[in-house]
Amino acid sequence: HNSDTALEAGRFPDDPAWQWFVNMQSRQTPAQPENPPQRPIVLSRAPYETEYPVDLGLYLPEDSYWTRSWQLTERLLAQFRDLVEAQGSRFGVVIIPDRRAVHQEDWVSTVNRYPIVGEGNPLTPVARLSVMMQDNGIANLNLTTALRAHVVDYPNGRLYYASDGHFNISGHVVAEQAIHDWLLVQGMIPAGG
């Protein structure tokens, strides 16, 4: 980070989450020298193009770069959980799968465009997150089951926009109902709430 983009600790002095982010930023070290992974292969630098978008690496067998990324994610989630619980609140995570884990045709089109992704699995990221939550004793709801069940019941419908991966109206409705039911079961909201 540099001083031009540093978060101001005094901006929200009574907000524990803001203070946590300020503290995390203040402990950052300078970026390491460039040490790109072997994959994805850089095909061109002007314009910059790789053999597949970096984020699709989430689906592939884990390499040392992704292992470190997952470890960092796990540490950050555990720290955030500790911060929330120290404030007397309950912490929970809702795992939202990518559209490729819900709509088979989205996975197929991704593999057709980037064949290397076929070595992976569309459920890898949500499975990895589920294990991480379990290992850390974090209450969580994996929306994959509810979303995939809806697609089975309504095979011609969509829950995500095809081009950008965000929920459409139907996706929000299915997610809202599943989250509501989970919050009730967890006792995080009162019955009838």
Side-chain angles (χ1 to χ4, degrees):
H1 81 93
N2 65 50
S3 59
D4 295 337
T5 59
L7 300 174
E8 301 170 37
R11 187 167 186 179
F12 303 103
D14 299 327
D15 185 334
W18 180 262
Q19 297 307 313
W20 180 75
F21 283 118
V22 168
N23 182 44
M24 291 299 296
Q25 186 183 54
S26 71
R27 294 183 357 216
Q28 284 181 343
T29 57
Q32 298 291 323
E34 185 176 339
N35 181 23
Q38 292 181 341
R39 301 291 308 242
I41 296 169
V42 176
L43 301 175
S44 160
R45 293 203 177 266
Y48 191 80
E49 182 183 0
T50 55
E51 66 180 318
Y52 58 84
V54 172
D55 62 316
L56 293 182
L58 278 168
Y59 302 105
L60 297 173
E62 201 170 296
D63 62 18
S64 63
Y65 289 87
W66 281 107
T67 297
R68 286 194 306 275
S69 296
W70 280 115
Q71 289 169 344
L72 175 60
T73 300
E74 186 167 8
R75 287 194 308 269
L76 290 171
L77 273 169
Q79 287 180 20
F80 197 48
R81 176 206 54 211
D82 295 346
L83 172 73
V84 168
E85 291 177 351
Q87 301 303 311
S89 296
R90 292 180 61 194
F91 184 75
V93 171
V94 174
I95 299 172
I96 303 172
D98 180 74
R99 63 187 168 86
R100 295 170 188 92
V102 175
H103 293 289
Q104 180 65 29
E105 65 271 20
D106 291 10
W107 178 249
V108 169
S109 68
T110 299
V111 171
N112 286 341
R113 184 164 182 192
Y114 305 105
I116 190 172
V117 178
E119 297 173 16
N121 184 319
L123 297 174
T124 295
V126 292
R128 184 72 164 84
L129 284 168
S130 292
V131 168
M132 185 186 301
M133 298 305 114
Q134 182 178 344
D135 289 350
N136 286 280
I138 296 174
N140 68 91
L141 168 64
N142 183 343
L143 288 176
T144 306
T145 302
L147 295 167
R148 290 182 98 179
H150 183 85
V151 168
V152 167
D153 291 344
Y154 302 95
N156 295 325
R158 283 203 54 94
L159 299 175
Y160 296 76
Y161 292 107
S163 59
D164 73 5
H166 288 87
F167 282 142
N168 61 20
I169 292 171
S170 297
H172 278 284
V173 169
V174 173
E176 182 278 330
Q177 186 63 57
I179 293 168
H180 176 267
D181 294 348
W182 179 73
L183 289 171
L184 279 173
V185 168
Q186 295 295 310
M188 292 185 184
I189 59 174

